[in-house]
Short mmCIF file of all heavy atoms in Angstrom, two decimals:
data_model
loop_
_atom_site.label_atom_id
_atom_site.label_comp_id
_atom_site.label_asym_id
_atom_site.label_seq_id
_atom_site.Cartn_x
_atom_site.Cartn_y
_atom_site.Cartn_z
N ASN A 1403 44.33 -42.55 -20.11
CA ASN A 1403 43.87 -41.72 -19.00
C ASN A 1403 43.92 -40.23 -19.34
O ASN A 1403 43.15 -39.45 -18.79
CB ASN A 1403 44.69 -42.01 -17.76
CG ASN A 1403 44.30 -43.33 -17.12
OD1 ASN A 1403 43.21 -43.86 -17.38
ND2 ASN A 1403 45.18 -43.87 -16.30
N ALA A 1404 44.82 -39.85 -20.22
CA ALA A 1404 44.88 -38.44 -20.61
C ALA A 1404 43.60 -38.01 -21.31
O ALA A 1404 43.22 -36.84 -21.26
CB ALA A 1404 46.09 -38.20 -21.51
N LYS A 1405 42.94 -38.97 -21.97
CA LYS A 1405 41.69 -38.68 -22.66
C LYS A 1405 40.48 -39.17 -21.90
O LYS A 1405 39.35 -39.08 -22.40
CB LYS A 1405 41.71 -39.31 -24.05
CG LYS A 1405 42.78 -38.76 -24.97
CD LYS A 1405 42.71 -39.41 -26.34
CE LYS A 1405 43.76 -38.82 -27.28
NZ LYS A 1405 43.71 -39.43 -28.63
N ASN A 1406 40.71 -39.74 -20.72
CA ASN A 1406 39.60 -40.29 -19.94
C ASN A 1406 38.76 -41.26 -20.78
O ASN A 1406 37.52 -41.23 -20.74
CB ASN A 1406 38.70 -39.17 -19.39
CG ASN A 1406 39.04 -38.82 -17.96
OD1 ASN A 1406 39.97 -39.36 -17.37
ND2 ASN A 1406 38.30 -37.90 -17.39
N THR A 1407 39.44 -42.11 -21.49
CA THR A 1407 38.76 -43.00 -22.42
C THR A 1407 39.36 -44.40 -22.34
O THR A 1407 40.58 -44.55 -22.17
CB THR A 1407 38.88 -42.47 -23.87
OG1 THR A 1407 38.33 -41.15 -23.93
CG2 THR A 1407 38.15 -43.37 -24.85
N VAL A 1408 38.50 -45.39 -22.44
CA VAL A 1408 38.95 -46.76 -22.60
C VAL A 1408 38.44 -47.27 -23.94
O VAL A 1408 37.45 -46.77 -24.48
CB VAL A 1408 38.49 -47.69 -21.46
CG1 VAL A 1408 39.06 -47.24 -20.14
CG2 VAL A 1408 36.97 -47.79 -21.42
N TYR A 1409 39.14 -48.25 -24.45
CA TYR A 1409 38.83 -48.79 -25.77
C TYR A 1409 38.67 -50.30 -25.71
O TYR A 1409 39.26 -50.96 -24.86
CB TYR A 1409 39.95 -48.45 -26.75
CG TYR A 1409 40.25 -46.98 -26.84
CD1 TYR A 1409 41.30 -46.41 -26.11
CD2 TYR A 1409 39.49 -46.14 -27.65
CE1 TYR A 1409 41.58 -45.07 -26.19
CE2 TYR A 1409 39.76 -44.78 -27.74
CZ TYR A 1409 40.80 -44.25 -27.01
OH TYR A 1409 41.07 -42.91 -27.08
N LEU A 1410 37.90 -50.81 -26.64
CA LEU A 1410 37.82 -52.25 -26.81
C LEU A 1410 37.98 -52.52 -28.30
O LEU A 1410 37.06 -52.25 -29.08
CB LEU A 1410 36.48 -52.80 -26.31
CG LEU A 1410 36.36 -54.32 -26.34
CD1 LEU A 1410 37.33 -54.95 -25.34
CD2 LEU A 1410 34.92 -54.77 -26.04
N GLN A 1411 39.14 -53.00 -28.66
CA GLN A 1411 39.40 -53.38 -30.05
C GLN A 1411 38.90 -54.80 -30.25
O GLN A 1411 39.33 -55.72 -29.55
CB GLN A 1411 40.90 -53.30 -30.36
CG GLN A 1411 41.26 -53.74 -31.75
CD GLN A 1411 40.72 -52.82 -32.83
OE1 GLN A 1411 40.78 -51.60 -32.69
NE2 GLN A 1411 40.18 -53.39 -33.90
N MET A 1412 37.99 -54.97 -31.21
CA MET A 1412 37.37 -56.26 -31.43
C MET A 1412 37.70 -56.73 -32.84
O MET A 1412 37.31 -56.09 -33.82
CB MET A 1412 35.85 -56.16 -31.25
CG MET A 1412 35.44 -55.56 -29.91
SD MET A 1412 33.66 -55.63 -29.61
CE MET A 1412 33.07 -54.58 -30.94
N ASN A 1413 38.42 -57.82 -32.92
CA ASN A 1413 38.81 -58.39 -34.21
C ASN A 1413 38.16 -59.77 -34.39
O ASN A 1413 37.69 -60.37 -33.44
CB ASN A 1413 40.33 -58.53 -34.29
CG ASN A 1413 41.05 -57.20 -34.18
OD1 ASN A 1413 40.53 -56.16 -34.60
ND2 ASN A 1413 42.25 -57.22 -33.61
N SER A 1414 38.18 -60.23 -35.62
CA SER A 1414 37.63 -61.55 -35.94
C SER A 1414 36.24 -61.73 -35.36
O SER A 1414 35.92 -62.76 -34.74
CB SER A 1414 38.56 -62.66 -35.43
OG SER A 1414 39.85 -62.54 -35.99
N LEU A 1415 35.42 -60.74 -35.56
CA LEU A 1415 34.07 -60.79 -35.00
C LEU A 1415 33.24 -61.89 -35.65
O LEU A 1415 33.39 -62.20 -36.83
CB LEU A 1415 33.39 -59.44 -35.19
CG LEU A 1415 33.90 -58.33 -34.25
CD1 LEU A 1415 33.52 -56.96 -34.78
CD2 LEU A 1415 33.34 -58.53 -32.85
N ASN A 1416 32.36 -62.46 -34.84
CA ASN A 1416 31.45 -63.48 -35.36
C ASN A 1416 30.04 -63.16 -34.88
O ASN A 1416 29.86 -62.32 -33.98
CB ASN A 1416 31.90 -64.88 -34.93
CG ASN A 1416 32.00 -65.03 -33.43
OD1 ASN A 1416 31.00 -64.88 -32.73
ND2 ASN A 1416 33.19 -65.32 -32.93
N PRO A 1417 29.03 -63.77 -35.47
CA PRO A 1417 27.64 -63.43 -35.10
C PRO A 1417 27.34 -63.58 -33.62
O PRO A 1417 26.46 -62.88 -33.09
CB PRO A 1417 26.81 -64.39 -35.96
CG PRO A 1417 27.66 -64.62 -37.16
CD PRO A 1417 29.07 -64.65 -36.64
N GLU A 1418 28.07 -64.46 -32.93
CA GLU A 1418 27.84 -64.63 -31.49
C GLU A 1418 28.27 -63.43 -30.68
O GLU A 1418 27.94 -63.31 -29.49
CB GLU A 1418 28.56 -65.88 -30.98
CG GLU A 1418 27.99 -67.21 -31.46
CD GLU A 1418 28.21 -67.46 -32.94
OE1 GLU A 1418 29.30 -67.12 -33.46
OE2 GLU A 1418 27.28 -67.99 -33.60
N ASP A 1419 29.01 -62.52 -31.30
CA ASP A 1419 29.41 -61.29 -30.62
C ASP A 1419 28.34 -60.21 -30.70
O ASP A 1419 28.50 -59.13 -30.11
CB ASP A 1419 30.71 -60.75 -31.23
CG ASP A 1419 31.88 -61.68 -31.03
OD1 ASP A 1419 32.05 -62.20 -29.91
OD2 ASP A 1419 32.64 -61.91 -32.01
N THR A 1420 27.28 -60.46 -31.43
CA THR A 1420 26.20 -59.48 -31.55
C THR A 1420 25.56 -59.23 -30.19
O THR A 1420 25.10 -60.18 -29.53
CB THR A 1420 25.14 -59.98 -32.54
OG1 THR A 1420 25.71 -60.04 -33.85
CG2 THR A 1420 23.94 -59.04 -32.55
N ALA A 1421 25.56 -57.98 -29.77
CA ALA A 1421 25.04 -57.62 -28.45
C ALA A 1421 25.10 -56.11 -28.28
O ALA A 1421 25.72 -55.41 -29.09
CB ALA A 1421 25.84 -58.30 -27.35
N ASN A 1422 24.49 -55.66 -27.22
CA ASN A 1422 24.67 -54.28 -26.78
C ASN A 1422 25.84 -54.28 -25.80
O ASN A 1422 25.85 -55.08 -24.85
CB ASN A 1422 23.40 -53.77 -26.11
CG ASN A 1422 23.28 -52.27 -26.16
OD1 ASN A 1422 24.09 -51.58 -26.77
ND2 ASN A 1422 22.25 -51.75 -25.52
N TYR A 1423 26.83 -53.44 -26.07
CA TYR A 1423 28.04 -53.43 -25.26
C TYR A 1423 28.03 -52.22 -24.32
O TYR A 1423 27.78 -51.08 -24.75
CB TYR A 1423 29.28 -53.37 -26.17
CG TYR A 1423 29.60 -54.70 -26.80
CD1 TYR A 1423 28.79 -55.22 -27.80
CD2 TYR A 1423 30.70 -55.44 -26.39
CE1 TYR A 1423 29.06 -56.46 -28.38
CE2 TYR A 1423 30.99 -56.67 -26.97
CZ TYR A 1423 30.16 -57.17 -27.95
OH TYR A 1423 30.44 -58.40 -28.52
N TYR A 1424 28.32 -52.50 -23.06
CA TYR A 1424 28.32 -51.48 -22.03
C TYR A 1424 29.70 -51.36 -21.39
O TYR A 1424 30.36 -52.39 -21.16
CB TYR A 1424 27.34 -51.84 -20.92
CG TYR A 1424 25.91 -52.01 -21.35
CD1 TYR A 1424 25.45 -53.24 -21.81
CD2 TYR A 1424 25.02 -50.94 -21.28
CE1 TYR A 1424 24.13 -53.40 -22.21
CE2 TYR A 1424 23.70 -51.10 -21.67
CZ TYR A 1424 23.27 -52.32 -22.14
OH TYR A 1424 21.96 -52.48 -22.52
N CYS A 1425 30.10 -50.14 -21.08
CA CYS A 1425 31.27 -50.00 -20.23
C CYS A 1425 30.80 -49.60 -18.84
O CYS A 1425 29.71 -49.03 -18.66
CB CYS A 1425 32.27 -49.00 -20.79
SG CYS A 1425 31.75 -47.28 -20.75
N ALA A 1426 31.63 -49.92 -17.87
CA ALA A 1426 31.29 -49.67 -16.48
C ALA A 1426 32.56 -49.30 -15.72
O ALA A 1426 33.64 -49.79 -16.03
CB ALA A 1426 30.64 -50.90 -15.86
N ALA A 1427 32.40 -48.44 -14.73
CA ALA A 1427 33.52 -48.00 -13.91
C ALA A 1427 33.25 -48.35 -12.45
O ALA A 1427 32.11 -48.29 -11.99
CB ALA A 1427 33.74 -46.50 -14.05
N SER A 1428 34.32 -48.67 -11.76
CA SER A 1428 34.19 -49.11 -10.37
C SER A 1428 34.92 -48.17 -9.43
O SER A 1428 36.06 -47.78 -9.69
CB SER A 1428 34.77 -50.51 -10.23
OG SER A 1428 34.80 -50.90 -8.88
N THR A 1429 34.25 -47.84 -8.34
CA THR A 1429 34.91 -47.12 -7.25
C THR A 1429 35.20 -48.07 -6.10
O THR A 1429 35.72 -47.65 -5.07
CB THR A 1429 34.02 -45.98 -6.73
OG1 THR A 1429 32.82 -46.53 -6.19
CG2 THR A 1429 33.68 -45.00 -7.83
N ARG A 1430 34.87 -49.35 -6.28
CA ARG A 1430 34.97 -50.30 -5.18
C ARG A 1430 36.25 -51.14 -5.23
O ARG A 1430 36.59 -51.80 -4.26
CB ARG A 1430 33.76 -51.24 -5.19
CG ARG A 1430 32.45 -50.50 -5.25
CD ARG A 1430 31.28 -51.42 -5.28
NE ARG A 1430 30.06 -50.68 -5.54
CZ ARG A 1430 28.85 -51.16 -5.34
NH1 ARG A 1430 28.69 -52.39 -4.89
NH2 ARG A 1430 27.80 -50.44 -5.62
N ILE A 1431 36.88 -51.16 -6.38
CA ILE A 1431 38.08 -51.97 -6.54
C ILE A 1431 39.28 -51.07 -6.25
O ILE A 1431 39.59 -50.16 -7.02
CB ILE A 1431 38.17 -52.54 -7.97
CG1 ILE A 1431 36.98 -53.48 -8.22
CG2 ILE A 1431 39.48 -53.28 -8.16
CD1 ILE A 1431 36.87 -53.98 -9.64
N TRP A 1432 39.94 -51.36 -5.14
CA TRP A 1432 41.03 -50.50 -4.70
C TRP A 1432 42.40 -51.04 -5.09
O TRP A 1432 43.36 -50.28 -5.20
CB TRP A 1432 40.98 -50.34 -3.18
CG TRP A 1432 39.85 -49.47 -2.77
CD1 TRP A 1432 38.62 -49.86 -2.33
CD2 TRP A 1432 39.82 -48.05 -2.78
NE1 TRP A 1432 37.83 -48.78 -2.07
CE2 TRP A 1432 38.54 -47.65 -2.33
CE3 TRP A 1432 40.75 -47.06 -3.13
CZ2 TRP A 1432 38.18 -46.31 -2.21
CZ3 TRP A 1432 40.39 -45.74 -3.01
CH2 TRP A 1432 39.12 -45.37 -2.56
N GLU A 1433 42.46 -52.34 -5.30
CA GLU A 1433 43.76 -52.91 -5.65
C GLU A 1433 44.16 -52.44 -7.04
O GLU A 1433 43.37 -52.49 -7.98
CB GLU A 1433 43.70 -54.44 -5.61
CG GLU A 1433 43.30 -55.01 -4.27
CD GLU A 1433 41.80 -55.22 -4.14
OE1 GLU A 1433 41.04 -54.46 -4.79
OE2 GLU A 1433 41.39 -56.13 -3.42
N GLY A 1434 45.39 -52.01 -7.17
CA GLY A 1434 45.82 -51.42 -8.43
C GLY A 1434 45.77 -52.35 -9.61
O GLY A 1434 45.53 -51.90 -10.74
N LEU A 1435 45.98 -53.63 -9.37
CA LEU A 1435 46.09 -54.57 -10.48
C LEU A 1435 44.87 -55.49 -10.61
O LEU A 1435 44.85 -56.34 -11.49
CB LEU A 1435 47.34 -55.43 -10.32
CG LEU A 1435 48.66 -54.74 -10.65
CD1 LEU A 1435 49.83 -55.65 -10.30
CD2 LEU A 1435 48.72 -54.35 -12.12
N ARG A 1436 43.89 -55.32 -9.77
CA ARG A 1436 42.75 -56.24 -9.84
C ARG A 1436 41.75 -55.81 -10.91
O ARG A 1436 41.45 -54.63 -11.07
CB ARG A 1436 42.06 -56.34 -8.49
CG ARG A 1436 41.00 -57.46 -8.47
CD ARG A 1436 40.66 -57.85 -7.06
NE ARG A 1436 39.72 -56.95 -6.43
CZ ARG A 1436 38.40 -56.99 -6.61
NH1 ARG A 1436 37.87 -57.88 -7.42
NH2 ARG A 1436 37.62 -56.14 -5.97
N VAL A 1437 41.24 -56.80 -11.60
CA VAL A 1437 40.22 -56.57 -12.61
C VAL A 1437 38.90 -57.12 -12.09
O VAL A 1437 38.85 -58.26 -11.65
CB VAL A 1437 40.59 -57.26 -13.94
CG1 VAL A 1437 39.45 -57.10 -14.96
CG2 VAL A 1437 41.89 -56.69 -14.49
N GLY A 1438 37.88 -56.35 -12.13
CA GLY A 1438 36.56 -56.81 -11.70
C GLY A 1438 35.85 -57.54 -12.81
O GLY A 1438 35.80 -57.06 -13.94
N VAL A 1439 35.28 -58.70 -12.49
CA VAL A 1439 34.54 -59.46 -13.49
C VAL A 1439 33.05 -59.55 -13.18
O VAL A 1439 32.27 -59.99 -14.01
CB VAL A 1439 35.12 -60.89 -13.65
CG1 VAL A 1439 36.57 -60.83 -14.09
CG2 VAL A 1439 34.98 -61.66 -12.34
N ARG A 1440 32.67 -59.12 -11.99
CA ARG A 1440 31.26 -59.19 -11.59
C ARG A 1440 30.59 -57.83 -11.78
O ARG A 1440 31.18 -56.78 -11.51
CB ARG A 1440 31.13 -59.62 -10.13
CG ARG A 1440 31.74 -60.94 -9.79
CD ARG A 1440 31.24 -61.41 -8.42
NE ARG A 1440 31.18 -60.32 -7.45
CZ ARG A 1440 32.18 -60.02 -6.63
NH1 ARG A 1440 33.30 -60.69 -6.69
NH2 ARG A 1440 32.04 -59.03 -5.76
N GLN A 1441 29.36 -57.85 -12.19
CA GLN A 1441 28.63 -56.60 -12.41
C GLN A 1441 28.47 -55.80 -11.14
O GLN A 1441 28.49 -54.56 -11.17
CB GLN A 1441 27.27 -56.91 -13.04
CG GLN A 1441 27.36 -57.54 -14.41
CD GLN A 1441 26.00 -57.81 -15.01
OE1 GLN A 1441 25.16 -56.92 -15.11
NE2 GLN A 1441 25.78 -59.05 -15.44
N ASP A 1442 28.33 -56.50 -10.01
CA ASP A 1442 28.10 -55.77 -8.76
C ASP A 1442 29.35 -55.09 -8.23
O ASP A 1442 29.29 -54.40 -7.21
CB ASP A 1442 27.50 -56.70 -7.70
CG ASP A 1442 28.41 -57.85 -7.31
OD1 ASP A 1442 29.56 -57.92 -7.79
OD2 ASP A 1442 27.97 -58.70 -6.52
N GLU A 1443 30.46 -55.24 -8.93
CA GLU A 1443 31.67 -54.52 -8.54
C GLU A 1443 31.73 -53.13 -9.18
O GLU A 1443 32.63 -52.35 -8.87
CB GLU A 1443 32.91 -55.32 -8.97
CG GLU A 1443 33.06 -56.64 -8.23
CD GLU A 1443 34.32 -57.38 -8.63
OE1 GLU A 1443 34.36 -57.92 -9.76
OE2 GLU A 1443 35.25 -57.44 -7.81
N TYR A 1444 30.78 -52.86 -10.07
CA TYR A 1444 30.79 -51.62 -10.83
C TYR A 1444 29.64 -50.70 -10.41
O TYR A 1444 28.52 -51.14 -10.19
CB TYR A 1444 30.72 -51.92 -12.33
CG TYR A 1444 31.99 -52.58 -12.81
CD1 TYR A 1444 32.12 -53.97 -12.79
CD2 TYR A 1444 33.06 -51.82 -13.26
CE1 TYR A 1444 33.30 -54.57 -13.21
CE2 TYR A 1444 34.23 -52.41 -13.68
CZ TYR A 1444 34.35 -53.79 -13.65
OH TYR A 1444 35.52 -54.38 -14.06
N ASP A 1445 29.99 -49.41 -10.32
CA ASP A 1445 29.02 -48.43 -9.84
C ASP A 1445 28.37 -47.63 -10.96
O ASP A 1445 27.22 -47.20 -10.84
CB ASP A 1445 29.73 -47.42 -8.92
CG ASP A 1445 30.50 -48.11 -7.83
OD1 ASP A 1445 29.87 -48.48 -6.82
OD2 ASP A 1445 31.72 -48.28 -8.00
N TYR A 1446 29.13 -47.35 -12.00
CA TYR A 1446 28.66 -46.46 -13.05
C TYR A 1446 28.63 -47.21 -14.38
O TYR A 1446 29.58 -47.94 -14.71
CB TYR A 1446 29.56 -45.23 -13.17
CG TYR A 1446 29.64 -44.45 -11.89
CD1 TYR A 1446 30.76 -44.55 -11.07
CD2 TYR A 1446 28.59 -43.64 -11.49
CE1 TYR A 1446 30.83 -43.84 -9.89
CE2 TYR A 1446 28.65 -42.93 -10.30
CZ TYR A 1446 29.77 -43.04 -9.51
OH TYR A 1446 29.82 -42.34 -8.34
N TRP A 1447 27.56 -46.98 -15.12
CA TRP A 1447 27.34 -47.68 -16.37
C TRP A 1447 26.97 -46.70 -17.48
O TRP A 1447 26.26 -45.72 -17.24
CB TRP A 1447 26.21 -48.70 -16.22
CG TRP A 1447 26.55 -49.83 -15.31
CD1 TRP A 1447 26.51 -49.82 -13.94
CD2 TRP A 1447 27.00 -51.13 -15.68
NE1 TRP A 1447 26.91 -51.04 -13.45
CE2 TRP A 1447 27.22 -51.86 -14.49
CE3 TRP A 1447 27.25 -51.74 -16.91
CZ2 TRP A 1447 27.66 -53.18 -14.50
CZ3 TRP A 1447 27.69 -53.06 -16.91
CH2 TRP A 1447 27.89 -53.76 -15.73
N GLY A 1448 27.43 -47.00 -18.67
CA GLY A 1448 26.99 -46.23 -19.82
C GLY A 1448 25.68 -46.77 -20.36
O GLY A 1448 25.13 -47.74 -19.84
N GLN A 1449 25.21 -46.15 -21.42
CA GLN A 1449 23.93 -46.53 -22.03
C GLN A 1449 24.08 -47.67 -23.03
O GLN A 1449 23.08 -48.27 -23.42
CB GLN A 1449 23.32 -45.32 -22.73
CG GLN A 1449 22.91 -44.21 -21.78
CD GLN A 1449 21.87 -44.67 -20.79
OE1 GLN A 1449 20.82 -45.21 -21.17
NE2 GLN A 1449 22.14 -44.49 -19.50
#
């Protein structure tokens, strides 16, 4: 949070992991420990 950055460390990659990867941020999830798994829970998306 000090860098306003999230990371995704990906190990043991395989061809099925080939894709365009997007990060998304949610203003709709208020619970501190809940993780959103649905796209409609996220408001902002990267390119």
